[in-house]
Amino acid sequence: IKLLEGTQGIGVVLGETEKSARSVIEAFRGANVNILVQEFIKEANATDIRCFVIGNKVVASMQRKGAEGDFRSNLHRGGTAEAIKITPEERSTAVRAARVMGLNVAGVDMLRSNHGPVIMEVNSSPGFEGVERVTGVDVADQIITFVEKQIERPIVKTKDKVGV
């Protein structure tokens, strides 16, 4: 059960039983906040994949593993990350998810389930510090390159600033 306005794993609660899930949902509704209820994918084992999509391409991907005893895999919650090679199915799923949301730049979070990749969320404003650190991919530069190709006049990159 997730707060829609949450970030970095804040406002995400695991309803371990139907009774506890109902209680959490009632509490969130009572606080008049928007929530999302998602299936818990136990076999993911507190591990997810963040794919950074630019245009029609996954430019970087990492696997995040939750801290000991936590079902959330967020780095801000003490999780760890490493570069990962994703499958062709995971790659196409990430790109399709970004397309469906109408995004040219997106962080797509997915889980590996017994029935294939499952999208957890599509971030329209994803942080890329973690994925750059673990993959060595300069995501910021790839975003600028993508934008340059979309406009008539190229963006001039200098050490200190970007201009048109």
Side-chain angles (χ1 to χ4, degrees), residues 87-102:
T87 68
E89 183 182 16
E90 290 165 340
R91 185 173 305 281
S92 68
T93 298
V95 170
R96 277 194 331 268
R99 289 287 116 235
V100 164
M101 298 303 294

PDB file of all heavy atoms in Angstrom, residues 87-102:
ATOM      1  N   THR A  87      17.134  -8.669 -19.248  1.00  0.00           N
ATOM      2  CA  THR A  87      16.736  -9.530 -20.355  1.00  0.00           C
ATOM      3  C   THR A  87      16.069  -8.699 -21.453  1.00  0.00           C
ATOM      4  O   THR A  87      15.603  -7.585 -21.194  1.00  0.00           O
ATOM      5  CB  THR A  87      15.736 -10.603 -19.875  1.00  0.00           C
ATOM      6  OG1 THR A  87      14.506  -9.964 -19.521  1.00  0.00           O
ATOM      7  CG2 THR A  87      16.284 -11.394 -18.692  1.00  0.00           C
ATOM      8  N   PRO A  88      15.998  -9.230 -22.665  1.00  0.00           N
ATOM      9  CA  PRO A  88      15.274  -8.515 -23.725  1.00  0.00           C
ATOM     10  C   PRO A  88      13.819  -8.225 -23.336  1.00  0.00           C
ATOM     11  O   PRO A  88      13.290  -7.157 -23.652  1.00  0.00           O
ATOM     12  CB  PRO A  88      15.358  -9.468 -24.914  1.00  0.00           C
ATOM     13  CG  PRO A  88      16.621 -10.240 -24.684  1.00  0.00           C
ATOM     14  CD  PRO A  88      16.696 -10.419 -23.189  1.00  0.00           C
ATOM     15  N   GLU A  89      13.167  -9.155 -22.630  1.00  0.00           N
ATOM     16  CA  GLU A  89      11.783  -8.929 -22.193  1.00  0.00           C
ATOM     17  C   GLU A  89      11.703  -7.777 -21.194  1.00  0.00           C
ATOM     18  O   GLU A  89      10.806  -6.932 -21.272  1.00  0.00           O
ATOM     19  CB  GLU A  89      11.209 -10.205 -21.567  1.00  0.00           C
ATOM     20  CG  GLU A  89       9.762 -10.057 -21.156  1.00  0.00           C
ATOM     21  CD  GLU A  89       9.194 -11.307 -20.492  1.00  0.00           C
ATOM     22  OE1 GLU A  89       9.959 -12.189 -20.061  1.00  0.00           O
ATOM     23  OE2 GLU A  89       7.952 -11.367 -20.392  1.00  0.00           O
ATOM     24  N   GLU A  90      12.656  -7.706 -20.268  1.00  0.00           N
ATOM     25  CA  GLU A  90      12.683  -6.607 -19.304  1.00  0.00           C
ATOM     26  C   GLU A  90      12.943  -5.277 -20.006  1.00  0.00           C
ATOM     27  O   GLU A  90      12.313  -4.267 -19.701  1.00  0.00           O
ATOM     28  CB  GLU A  90      13.741  -6.869 -18.225  1.00  0.00           C
ATOM     29  CG  GLU A  90      13.366  -8.010 -17.300  1.00  0.00           C
ATOM     30  CD  GLU A  90      14.508  -8.538 -16.468  1.00  0.00           C
ATOM     31  OE1 GLU A  90      15.692  -8.324 -16.820  1.00  0.00           O
ATOM     32  OE2 GLU A  90      14.219  -9.203 -15.455  1.00  0.00           O
ATOM     33  N   ARG A  91      13.833  -5.298 -20.982  1.00  0.00           N
ATOM     34  CA  ARG A  91      14.155  -4.089 -21.752  1.00  0.00           C
ATOM     35  C   ARG A  91      12.920  -3.572 -22.488  1.00  0.00           C
ATOM     36  O   ARG A  91      12.568  -2.396 -22.385  1.00  0.00           O
ATOM     37  CB  ARG A  91      15.292  -4.404 -22.736  1.00  0.00           C
ATOM     38  CG  ARG A  91      15.817  -3.223 -23.512  1.00  0.00           C
ATOM     39  CD  ARG A  91      17.052  -3.613 -24.331  1.00  0.00           C
ATOM     40  NE  ARG A  91      18.103  -4.198 -23.517  1.00  0.00           N
ATOM     41  CZ  ARG A  91      18.956  -3.505 -22.756  1.00  0.00           C
ATOM     42  NH1 ARG A  91      18.890  -2.197 -22.734  1.00  0.00           N
ATOM     43  NH2 ARG A  91      19.880  -4.112 -22.033  1.00  0.00           N
ATOM     44  N   SER A  92      12.233  -4.447 -23.192  1.00  0.00           N
ATOM     45  CA  SER A  92      11.051  -4.006 -23.948  1.00  0.00           C
ATOM     46  C   SER A  92       9.921  -3.600 -23.009  1.00  0.00           C
ATOM     47  O   SER A  92       9.174  -2.658 -23.305  1.00  0.00           O
ATOM     48  CB  SER A  92      10.586  -5.078 -24.931  1.00  0.00           C
ATOM     49  OG  SER A  92      10.082  -6.205 -24.267  1.00  0.00           O
ATOM     50  N   THR A  93       9.805  -4.250 -21.866  1.00  0.00           N
ATOM     51  CA  THR A  93       8.778  -3.883 -20.884  1.00  0.00           C
ATOM     52  C   THR A  93       9.036  -2.477 -20.353  1.00  0.00           C
ATOM     53  O   THR A  93       8.105  -1.670 -20.234  1.00  0.00           O
ATOM     54  CB  THR A  93       8.741  -4.904 -19.732  1.00  0.00           C
ATOM     55  OG1 THR A  93       8.403  -6.197 -20.262  1.00  0.00           O
ATOM     56  CG2 THR A  93       7.734  -4.510 -18.668  1.00  0.00           C
ATOM     57  N   ALA A  94      10.284  -2.160 -20.047  1.00  0.00           N
ATOM     58  CA  ALA A  94      10.634  -0.829 -19.529  1.00  0.00           C
ATOM     59  C   ALA A  94      10.344   0.249 -20.562  1.00  0.00           C
ATOM     60  O   ALA A  94       9.743   1.290 -20.250  1.00  0.00           O
ATOM     61  CB  ALA A  94      12.105  -0.785 -19.115  1.00  0.00           C
ATOM     62  N   VAL A  95      10.726   0.018 -21.810  1.00  0.00           N
ATOM     63  CA  VAL A  95      10.501   1.007 -22.872  1.00  0.00           C
ATOM     64  C   VAL A  95       9.002   1.187 -23.110  1.00  0.00           C
ATOM     65  O   VAL A  95       8.517   2.318 -23.237  1.00  0.00           O
ATOM     66  CB  VAL A  95      11.243   0.599 -24.165  1.00  0.00           C
ATOM     67  CG1 VAL A  95      10.817   1.469 -25.346  1.00  0.00           C
ATOM     68  CG2 VAL A  95      12.750   0.670 -23.953  1.00  0.00           C
ATOM     69  N   ARG A  96       8.250   0.094 -23.140  1.00  0.00           N
ATOM     70  CA  ARG A  96       6.796   0.180 -23.336  1.00  0.00           C
ATOM     71  C   ARG A  96       6.135   0.949 -22.197  1.00  0.00           C
ATOM     72  O   ARG A  96       5.221   1.754 -22.426  1.00  0.00           O
ATOM     73  CB  ARG A  96       6.179  -1.215 -23.459  1.00  0.00           C
ATOM     74  CG  ARG A  96       6.275  -1.816 -24.842  1.00  0.00           C
ATOM     75  CD  ARG A  96       5.373  -3.030 -25.055  1.00  0.00           C
ATOM     76  NE  ARG A  96       5.088  -3.831 -23.884  1.00  0.00           N
ATOM     77  CZ  ARG A  96       5.788  -4.900 -23.480  1.00  0.00           C
ATOM     78  NH1 ARG A  96       6.845  -5.300 -24.175  1.00  0.00           N
ATOM     79  NH2 ARG A  96       5.444  -5.570 -22.414  1.00  0.00           N
ATOM     80  N   ALA A  97       6.588   0.717 -20.969  1.00  0.00           N
ATOM     81  CA  ALA A  97       6.005   1.419 -19.810  1.00  0.00           C
ATOM     82  C   ALA A  97       6.215   2.924 -19.940  1.00  0.00           C
ATOM     83  O   ALA A  97       5.294   3.713 -19.696  1.00  0.00           O
ATOM     84  CB  ALA A  97       6.611   0.899 -18.516  1.00  0.00           C
ATOM     85  N   ALA A  98       7.410   3.334 -20.338  1.00  0.00           N
ATOM     86  CA  ALA A  98       7.680   4.766 -20.523  1.00  0.00           C
ATOM     87  C   ALA A  98       6.812   5.334 -21.643  1.00  0.00           C
ATOM     88  O   ALA A  98       6.247   6.430 -21.523  1.00  0.00           O
ATOM     89  CB  ALA A  98       9.163   4.997 -20.821  1.00  0.00           C
ATOM     90  N   ARG A  99       6.665   4.592 -22.740  1.00  0.00           N
ATOM     91  CA  ARG A  99       5.846   5.031 -23.880  1.00  0.00           C
ATOM     92  C   ARG A  99       4.395   5.201 -23.452  1.00  0.00           C
ATOM     93  O   ARG A  99       3.752   6.188 -23.794  1.00  0.00           O
ATOM     94  CB  ARG A  99       5.880   4.008 -25.028  1.00  0.00           C
ATOM     95  CG  ARG A  99       7.144   3.870 -25.804  1.00  0.00           C
ATOM     96  CD  ARG A  99       7.381   5.062 -26.714  1.00  0.00           C
ATOM     97  NE  ARG A  99       8.567   5.649 -26.202  1.00  0.00           N
ATOM     98  CZ  ARG A  99       8.808   6.901 -25.795  1.00  0.00           C
ATOM     99  NH1 ARG A  99       8.003   7.786 -25.896  1.00  0.00           N
ATOM    100  NH2 ARG A  99       9.890   7.326 -25.283  1.00  0.00           N
ATOM    101  N   VAL A 100       3.853   4.210 -22.746  1.00  0.00           N
ATOM    102  CA  VAL A 100       2.451   4.265 -22.316  1.00  0.00           C
ATOM    103  C   VAL A 100       2.199   5.508 -21.472  1.00  0.00           C
ATOM    104  O   VAL A 100       1.140   6.131 -21.561  1.00  0.00           O
ATOM    105  CB  VAL A 100       2.079   2.985 -21.524  1.00  0.00           C
ATOM    106  CG1 VAL A 100       0.791   3.148 -20.744  1.00  0.00           C
ATOM    107  CG2 VAL A 100       1.972   1.798 -22.466  1.00  0.00           C
ATOM    108  N   MET A 101       3.190   5.909 -20.680  1.00  0.00           N
ATOM    109  CA  MET A 101       3.051   7.087 -19.830  1.00  0.00           C
ATOM    110  C   MET A 101       3.364   8.376 -20.591  1.00  0.00           C
ATOM    111  O   MET A 101       3.254   9.467 -20.031  1.00  0.00           O
ATOM    112  CB  MET A 101       3.957   6.967 -18.610  1.00  0.00           C
ATOM    113  CG  MET A 101       3.621   5.781 -17.715  1.00  0.00           C
ATOM    114  SD  MET A 101       1.919   5.772 -17.129  1.00  0.00           S
ATOM    115  CE  MET A 101       1.915   7.206 -16.099  1.00  0.00           C
ATOM    116  N   GLY A 102       3.779   8.258 -21.859  1.00  0.00           N
ATOM    117  CA  GLY A 102       4.074   9.434 -22.667  1.00  0.00           C
ATOM    118  C   GLY A 102       5.371  10.120 -22.272  1.00  0.00           C
ATOM    119  O   GLY A 102       5.518  11.327 -22.467  1.00  0.00           O
TER     120      GLY A 102
END
